[in-house]
Amino acid sequence: MEPSPKDGESAAAAEPSRPSSGVVVQVREKKGPLRAAIPYMPFPVAVICLFLNTFVPGLGTFVSAFTVLCGARTDLPDRHMCCVFWLNIAAALIQILTAIVMVGWIMSIFWGMDMVILASKYS
């Protein structure tokens, strides 16, 4: 005779354990063209760009645009180097022009943080 579950136990706990069939889920962040144009820079350069973006909105992003011309890779491999350069210049201009309402300044700081995160992941 099989023992019945006690008062504190559930019926599922009394059943023998079965192998669970798991589903593997992969999450990928989809980046827009401006965000995907952030270059993978050496860590010290990324920290300098973050510092510049913190105190002068858009300046670090402007400097990072020139690292693309020096061969820094981005998440836009199918685009030409000059196109990625101009995307970074556009991001810097957006940050500079909207800094007067604090949106650009906040965007600039987050942009610099993304540069440091990318540099630390892929250095």
Side-chain angles (χ1 to χ4, degrees), residues 16-122:
S17 63
R18 291 185 234 158
S20 63
S21 62
V23 178
V24 177
V25 178
Q26 182 179 8
V27 178
R28 272 195 151 164
E29 180 183 7
K30 184 177 178 186
K31 297 179 179 180
L34 278 180
R35 177 112 176 201
I38 298 174
Y40 295 99
M41 299 175 280
F43 189 77
V45 177
V47 170
I48 290 170
C49 288
L50 170 61
F51 181 79
L52 291 173
N53 271 350
T54 302
F55 295 103
V56 182
L59 184 59
T61 307
F62 185 76
V63 170
S64 75
F66 289 97
T67 65
V68 173
L69 296 178
C70 294
R73 69 180 190 87
T74 64
D75 287 333
L76 296 172
D78 55 334
R79 299 240 179 139
H80 193 267
M81 182 187 322
C82 289
C83 179
V84 177
F85 169 77
W86 286 111
L87 282 171
N88 278 293
I89 295 295
L93 287 175
I94 291 169
Q95 292 168 7
I96 291 167
L97 294 175
T98 58
I100 55 175
V101 289
M102 295 299 290
V103 174
W105 205 327
I106 294 167
M107 177 187 174
S108 184
I109 293 169
F110 279 112
W111 216 261
M113 288 173 22
D114 283 343
M115 290 178 203
V116 171
I117 290 169
L118 287 175
S120 66
K121 280 184 182 178
Y122 301 103

